[in-house]
Amino acid sequence: MRSENSEHQRQNTEARIKGLRKSEGKAEYVLGMYSLILVMVLALASIQIMQYKADSDIAEDALAASCLAALDADPYRYGLNHKLVINDPVSARGIFENALRKNMNLDDSYRPLSGGNGYVSGNVTIEDFRIYLIDGDEVTEYVVTDYAVTENKGTYGIMQTPSGSIVRSAGAYARVSFDTEGFLGVRVRACKEAYAEMLACPDGNGILRTD
């Protein structure tokens, strides 16, 4: 014989079990959704990091190519003694600027052209530009800005560029900065630098080298 109380207690117990199972089901669903969202965020972040790396490589290549273009050496003097001479550092900067606009698809204001590269958001700023010349054991560094040229002297094998590269031949160093748009439209200020030099070989051929 069952009492009404025992029947009532059993119904309450079954109701509590069902309620617990329902709560556990909701908790698992919520945790599953959060896990899925976390995986998606991590995947997007990974894709963005890979995109940053690819954009960084493209920007560095463009900058290095522009530095190489600035090495407009005197071909007559190089043909005589394989000595690389850049007669006009200011003109070299002008060549660099033209090459930079072309290589990075920029307009005259250093802003990306319509349909150009996708890694620059806003204008590109030339932070630093330097020309290096070798004369025996002496290295001359020309810091070329929009307003002036500053000349510094150093010793061959010791003088370094701002990036830490030892100057071994006539070369050009540059550093630029620009905004790049990243994850969720966040803009990040990127800074890139490159150094290019031309090394003379005994056979008279020049080797272009970039760091």
Side-chain angles (χ1 to χ4, degrees), residues 140-164:
T140 302
E141 175 190 67
Y142 296 95
V143 183
V144 187
T145 68
D146 290 332
Y147 311 102
V149 178
T150 303
E151 183 178 328
N152 302 310
K153 298 291 184 179
T155 303
Y156 182 81
I158 297 178
M159 175 166 272
Q160 299 180 0
T161 68
S163 61

PDB file of all heavy atoms in Angstrom, residues 140-164:
ATOM      1  N   THR A 140      80.966  58.002 -45.610  1.00  0.00           N
ATOM      2  CA  THR A 140      80.211  59.242 -45.470  1.00  0.00           C
ATOM      3  C   THR A 140      78.724  58.907 -45.508  1.00  0.00           C
ATOM      4  O   THR A 140      78.252  58.238 -46.440  1.00  0.00           O
ATOM      5  CB  THR A 140      80.531  60.233 -46.596  1.00  0.00           C
ATOM      6  OG1 THR A 140      81.933  60.510 -46.598  1.00  0.00           O
ATOM      7  CG2 THR A 140      79.777  61.541 -46.388  1.00  0.00           C
ATOM      8  N   GLU A 141      78.030  59.378 -44.498  1.00  0.00           N
ATOM      9  CA  GLU A 141      76.580  59.167 -44.413  1.00  0.00           C
ATOM     10  C   GLU A 141      75.873  60.491 -44.668  1.00  0.00           C
ATOM     11  O   GLU A 141      76.176  61.505 -44.033  1.00  0.00           O
ATOM     12  CB  GLU A 141      76.210  58.646 -43.027  1.00  0.00           C
ATOM     13  CG  GLU A 141      74.707  58.508 -42.794  1.00  0.00           C
ATOM     14  CD  GLU A 141      74.381  58.218 -41.333  1.00  0.00           C
ATOM     15  OE1 GLU A 141      74.619  59.127 -40.497  1.00  0.00           O
ATOM     16  OE2 GLU A 141      73.904  57.118 -41.034  1.00  0.00           O
ATOM     17  N   TYR A 142      74.927  60.486 -45.603  1.00  0.00           N
ATOM     18  CA  TYR A 142      74.124  61.666 -45.901  1.00  0.00           C
ATOM     19  C   TYR A 142      72.692  61.395 -45.437  1.00  0.00           C
ATOM     20  O   TYR A 142      72.014  60.513 -45.983  1.00  0.00           O
ATOM     21  CB  TYR A 142      74.137  61.983 -47.389  1.00  0.00           C
ATOM     22  CG  TYR A 142      75.497  62.349 -47.943  1.00  0.00           C
ATOM     23  CD1 TYR A 142      76.297  61.383 -48.539  1.00  0.00           C
ATOM     24  CD2 TYR A 142      75.976  63.651 -47.862  1.00  0.00           C
ATOM     25  CE1 TYR A 142      77.547  61.707 -49.049  1.00  0.00           C
ATOM     26  CE2 TYR A 142      77.224  63.996 -48.376  1.00  0.00           C
ATOM     27  CZ  TYR A 142      78.010  63.006 -48.965  1.00  0.00           C
ATOM     28  OH  TYR A 142      79.243  63.342 -49.468  1.00  0.00           O
ATOM     29  N   VAL A 143      72.249  62.140 -44.445  1.00  0.00           N
ATOM     30  CA  VAL A 143      70.867  62.048 -43.982  1.00  0.00           C
ATOM     31  C   VAL A 143      70.071  63.089 -44.761  1.00  0.00           C
ATOM     32  O   VAL A 143      70.256  64.297 -44.571  1.00  0.00           O
ATOM     33  CB  VAL A 143      70.759  62.302 -42.467  1.00  0.00           C
ATOM     34  CG1 VAL A 143      69.317  62.138 -42.002  1.00  0.00           C
ATOM     35  CG2 VAL A 143      71.675  61.354 -41.695  1.00  0.00           C
ATOM     36  N   VAL A 144      69.184  62.630 -45.636  1.00  0.00           N
ATOM     37  CA  VAL A 144      68.484  63.525 -46.557  1.00  0.00           C
ATOM     38  C   VAL A 144      67.027  63.654 -46.125  1.00  0.00           C
ATOM     39  O   VAL A 144      66.278  62.667 -46.103  1.00  0.00           O
ATOM     40  CB  VAL A 144      68.556  62.990 -47.996  1.00  0.00           C
ATOM     41  CG1 VAL A 144      67.975  64.019 -48.969  1.00  0.00           C
ATOM     42  CG2 VAL A 144      69.985  62.637 -48.379  1.00  0.00           C
ATOM     43  N   THR A 145      66.629  64.879 -45.780  1.00  0.00           N
ATOM     44  CA  THR A 145      65.241  65.166 -45.435  1.00  0.00           C
ATOM     45  C   THR A 145      64.639  66.060 -46.520  1.00  0.00           C
ATOM     46  O   THR A 145      65.290  66.385 -47.517  1.00  0.00           O
ATOM     47  CB  THR A 145      65.136  65.864 -44.069  1.00  0.00           C
ATOM     48  OG1 THR A 145      65.687  67.184 -44.162  1.00  0.00           O
ATOM     49  CG2 THR A 145      65.889  65.077 -42.997  1.00  0.00           C
ATOM     50  N   ASP A 146      63.419  66.481 -46.301  1.00  0.00           N
ATOM     51  CA  ASP A 146      62.775  67.390 -47.259  1.00  0.00           C
ATOM     52  C   ASP A 146      63.398  68.779 -47.230  1.00  0.00           C
ATOM     53  O   ASP A 146      63.191  69.574 -48.161  1.00  0.00           O
ATOM     54  CB  ASP A 146      61.280  67.516 -46.952  1.00  0.00           C
ATOM     55  CG  ASP A 146      60.521  66.235 -47.256  1.00  0.00           C
ATOM     56  OD1 ASP A 146      60.961  65.485 -48.152  1.00  0.00           O
ATOM     57  OD2 ASP A 146      59.499  65.975 -46.597  1.00  0.00           O
ATOM     58  N   TYR A 147      64.140  69.071 -46.169  1.00  0.00           N
ATOM     59  CA  TYR A 147      64.608  70.451 -45.977  1.00  0.00           C
ATOM     60  C   TYR A 147      66.126  70.594 -45.969  1.00  0.00           C
ATOM     61  O   TYR A 147      66.644  71.678 -46.219  1.00  0.00           O
ATOM     62  CB  TYR A 147      64.068  70.998 -44.653  1.00  0.00           C
ATOM     63  CG  TYR A 147      62.588  70.780 -44.476  1.00  0.00           C
ATOM     64  CD1 TYR A 147      62.111  69.759 -43.668  1.00  0.00           C
ATOM     65  CD2 TYR A 147      61.665  71.574 -45.153  1.00  0.00           C
ATOM     66  CE1 TYR A 147      60.740  69.542 -43.514  1.00  0.00           C
ATOM     67  CE2 TYR A 147      60.297  71.359 -45.009  1.00  0.00           C
ATOM     68  CZ  TYR A 147      59.844  70.342 -44.185  1.00  0.00           C
ATOM     69  OH  TYR A 147      58.498  70.118 -44.052  1.00  0.00           O
ATOM     70  N   ALA A 148      66.856  69.526 -45.678  1.00  0.00           N
ATOM     71  CA  ALA A 148      68.299  69.673 -45.538  1.00  0.00           C
ATOM     72  C   ALA A 148      68.999  68.334 -45.724  1.00  0.00           C
ATOM     73  O   ALA A 148      68.371  67.274 -45.735  1.00  0.00           O
ATOM     74  CB  ALA A 148      68.638  70.248 -44.162  1.00  0.00           C
ATOM     75  N   VAL A 149      70.331  68.429 -45.857  1.00  0.00           N
ATOM     76  CA  VAL A 149      71.185  67.240 -45.938  1.00  0.00           C
ATOM     77  C   VAL A 149      72.231  67.345 -44.844  1.00  0.00           C
ATOM     78  O   VAL A 149      72.975  68.332 -44.773  1.00  0.00           O
ATOM     79  CB  VAL A 149      71.868  67.125 -47.316  1.00  0.00           C
ATOM     80  CG1 VAL A 149      72.796  65.906 -47.339  1.00  0.00           C
ATOM     81  CG2 VAL A 149      70.845  67.032 -48.428  1.00  0.00           C
ATOM     82  N   THR A 150      72.284  66.347 -43.990  1.00  0.00           N
ATOM     83  CA  THR A 150      73.264  66.307 -42.905  1.00  0.00           C
ATOM     84  C   THR A 150      74.326  65.274 -43.234  1.00  0.00           C
ATOM     85  O   THR A 150      74.005  64.136 -43.590  1.00  0.00           O
ATOM     86  CB  THR A 150      72.603  65.953 -41.565  1.00  0.00           C
ATOM     87  OG1 THR A 150      71.569  66.902 -41.287  1.00  0.00           O
ATOM     88  CG2 THR A 150      73.618  65.981 -40.437  1.00  0.00           C
ATOM     89  N   GLU A 151      75.595  65.667 -43.091  1.00  0.00           N
ATOM     90  CA  GLU A 151      76.704  64.783 -43.448  1.00  0.00           C
ATOM     91  C   GLU A 151      77.413  64.289 -42.189  1.00  0.00           C
ATOM     92  O   GLU A 151      77.760  65.082 -41.303  1.00  0.00           O
ATOM     93  CB  GLU A 151      77.679  65.537 -44.357  1.00  0.00           C
ATOM     94  CG  GLU A 151      78.851  64.696 -44.850  1.00  0.00           C
ATOM     95  CD  GLU A 151      79.756  65.476 -45.796  1.00  0.00           C
ATOM     96  OE1 GLU A 151      79.226  66.346 -46.531  1.00  0.00           O
ATOM     97  OE2 GLU A 151      80.966  65.229 -45.789  1.00  0.00           O
ATOM     98  N   ASN A 152      77.611  62.976 -42.113  1.00  0.00           N
ATOM     99  CA  ASN A 152      78.336  62.368 -41.000  1.00  0.00           C
ATOM    100  C   ASN A 152      79.460  61.492 -41.543  1.00  0.00           C
ATOM    101  O   ASN A 152      79.329  60.891 -42.606  1.00  0.00           O
ATOM    102  CB  ASN A 152      77.395  61.504 -40.139  1.00  0.00           C
ATOM    103  CG  ASN A 152      76.225  62.302 -39.596  1.00  0.00           C
ATOM    104  OD1 ASN A 152      76.388  63.368 -39.023  1.00  0.00           O
ATOM    105  ND2 ASN A 152      75.012  61.784 -39.793  1.00  0.00           N
ATOM    106  N   LYS A 153      80.560  61.403 -40.785  1.00  0.00           N
ATOM    107  CA  LYS A 153      81.705  60.598 -41.183  1.00  0.00           C
ATOM    108  C   LYS A 153      81.847  59.407 -40.242  1.00  0.00           C
ATOM    109  O   LYS A 153      81.563  59.485 -39.052  1.00  0.00           O
ATOM    110  CB  LYS A 153      82.988  61.426 -41.158  1.00  0.00           C
ATOM    111  CG  LYS A 153      82.997  62.617 -42.114  1.00  0.00           C
ATOM    112  CD  LYS A 153      83.055  62.171 -43.577  1.00  0.00           C
ATOM    113  CE  LYS A 153      83.159  63.370 -44.509  1.00  0.00           C
ATOM    114  NZ  LYS A 153      83.249  62.965 -45.934  1.00  0.00           N
ATOM    115  N   GLY A 154      82.322  58.301 -40.802  1.00  0.00           N
ATOM    116  CA  GLY A 154      82.539  57.110 -40.008  1.00  0.00           C
ATOM    117  C   GLY A 154      83.662  56.281 -40.577  1.00  0.00           C
ATOM    118  O   GLY A 154      84.241  56.611 -41.618  1.00  0.00           O
ATOM    119  N   THR A 155      83.971  55.171 -39.912  1.00  0.00           N
ATOM    120  CA  THR A 155      85.054  54.293 -40.327  1.00  0.00           C
ATOM    121  C   THR A 155      84.507  53.048 -41.002  1.00  0.00           C
ATOM    122  O   THR A 155      83.527  52.454 -40.546  1.00  0.00           O
ATOM    123  CB  THR A 155      85.906  53.877 -39.102  1.00  0.00           C
ATOM    124  OG1 THR A 155      86.389  55.058 -38.448  1.00  0.00           O
ATOM    125  CG2 THR A 155      87.082  53.018 -39.528  1.00  0.00           C
ATOM    126  N   TYR A 156      85.164  52.653 -42.078  1.00  0.00           N
ATOM    127  CA  TYR A 156      84.740  51.469 -42.820  1.00  0.00           C
ATOM    128  C   TYR A 156      84.816  50.238 -41.920  1.00  0.00           C
ATOM    129  O   TYR A 156      85.811  50.019 -41.212  1.00  0.00           O
ATOM    130  CB  TYR A 156      85.626  51.272 -44.043  1.00  0.00           C
ATOM    131  CG  TYR A 156      85.223  50.091 -44.896  1.00  0.00           C
ATOM    132  CD1 TYR A 156      84.192  50.193 -45.810  1.00  0.00           C
ATOM    133  CD2 TYR A 156      85.882  48.868 -44.761  1.00  0.00           C
ATOM    134  CE1 TYR A 156      83.810  49.113 -46.596  1.00  0.00           C
ATOM    135  CE2 TYR A 156      85.508  47.775 -45.531  1.00  0.00           C
ATOM    136  CZ  TYR A 156      84.475  47.905 -46.450  1.00  0.00           C
ATOM    137  OH  TYR A 156      84.106  46.830 -47.205  1.00  0.00           O
ATOM    138  N   GLY A 157      83.784  49.438 -41.952  1.00  0.00           N
ATOM    139  CA  GLY A 157      83.736  48.242 -41.128  1.00  0.00           C
ATOM    140  C   GLY A 157      83.140  48.479 -39.753  1.00  0.00           C
ATOM    141  O   GLY A 157      82.889  47.523 -39.021  1.00  0.00           O
ATOM    142  N   ILE A 158      82.955  49.753 -39.405  1.00  0.00           N
ATOM    143  CA  ILE A 158      82.394  50.093 -38.091  1.00  0.00           C
ATOM    144  C   ILE A 158      81.051  50.794 -38.223  1.00  0.00           C
ATOM    145  O   ILE A 158      80.101  50.487 -37.493  1.00  0.00           O
ATOM    146  CB  ILE A 158      83.374  50.970 -37.285  1.00  0.00           C
ATOM    147  CG1 ILE A 158      84.663  50.178 -36.999  1.00  0.00           C
ATOM    148  CG2 ILE A 158      82.737  51.451 -35.984  1.00  0.00           C
ATOM    149  CD1 ILE A 158      85.702  50.969 -36.260  1.00  0.00           C
ATOM    150  N   MET A 159      80.967  51.746 -39.169  1.00  0.00           N
ATOM    151  CA  MET A 159      79.715  52.502 -39.315  1.00  0.00           C
ATOM    152  C   MET A 159      78.569  51.576 -39.694  1.00  0.00           C
ATOM    153  O   MET A 159      78.709  50.697 -40.551  1.00  0.00           O
ATOM    154  CB  MET A 159      79.853  53.613 -40.354  1.00  0.00           C
ATOM    155  CG  MET A 159      78.549  54.354 -40.630  1.00  0.00           C
ATOM    156  SD  MET A 159      78.754  55.899 -41.546  1.00  0.00           S
ATOM    157  CE  MET A 159      79.029  57.052 -40.204  1.00  0.00           C
ATOM    158  N   GLN A 160      77.442  51.792 -39.049  1.00  0.00           N
ATOM    159  CA  GLN A 160      76.257  50.986 -39.289  1.00  0.00           C
ATOM    160  C   GLN A 160      75.069  51.880 -39.654  1.00  0.00           C
ATOM    161  O   GLN A 160      75.039  53.059 -39.313  1.00  0.00           O
ATOM    162  CB  GLN A 160      75.890  50.168 -38.041  1.00  0.00           C
ATOM    163  CG  GLN A 160      76.961  49.200 -37.597  1.00  0.00           C
ATOM    164  CD  GLN A 160      76.534  48.422 -36.369  1.00  0.00           C
ATOM    165  OE1 GLN A 160      75.438  48.598 -35.840  1.00  0.00           O
ATOM    166  NE2 GLN A 160      77.401  47.541 -35.895  1.00  0.00           N
ATOM    167  N   THR A 161      74.116  51.286 -40.310  1.00  0.00           N
ATOM    168  CA  THR A 161      72.858  51.961 -40.593  1.00  0.00           C
ATOM    169  C   THR A 161      71.997  51.932 -39.321  1.00  0.00           C
ATOM    170  O   THR A 161      72.304  51.182 -38.384  1.00  0.00           O
ATOM    171  CB  THR A 161      72.099  51.262 -41.728  1.00  0.00           C
ATOM    172  OG1 THR A 161      71.664  49.971 -41.268  1.00  0.00           O
ATOM    173  CG2 THR A 161      72.991  51.081 -42.953  1.00  0.00           C
ATOM    174  N   PRO A 162      70.925  52.700 -39.261  1.00  0.00           N
ATOM    175  CA  PRO A 162      70.027  52.636 -38.095  1.00  0.00           C
ATOM    176  C   PRO A 162      69.457  51.241 -37.837  1.00  0.00           C
ATOM    177  O   PRO A 162      69.077  50.920 -36.707  1.00  0.00           O
ATOM    178  CB  PRO A 162      68.914  53.626 -38.463  1.00  0.00           C
ATOM    179  CG  PRO A 162      69.575  54.617 -39.351  1.00  0.00           C
ATOM    180  CD  PRO A 162      70.544  53.807 -40.167  1.00  0.00           C
ATOM    181  N   SER A 163      69.418  50.399 -38.861  1.00  0.00           N
ATOM    182  CA  SER A 163      68.914  49.035 -38.683  1.00  0.00           C
ATOM    183  C   SER A 163      69.978  48.071 -38.184  1.00  0.00           C
ATOM    184  O   SER A 163      69.690  46.907 -37.912  1.00  0.00           O
ATOM    185  CB  SER A 163      68.338  48.507 -40.004  1.00  0.00           C
ATOM    186  OG  SER A 163      69.342  48.472 -41.007  1.00  0.00           O
ATOM    187  N   GLY A 164      71.231  48.570 -38.070  1.00  0.00           N
ATOM    188  CA  GLY A 164      72.313  47.732 -37.555  1.00  0.00           C
ATOM    189  C   GLY A 164      73.164  47.078 -38.623  1.00  0.00           C
ATOM    190  O   GLY A 164      74.087  46.322 -38.297  1.00  0.00           O
TER     191      GLY A 164
END
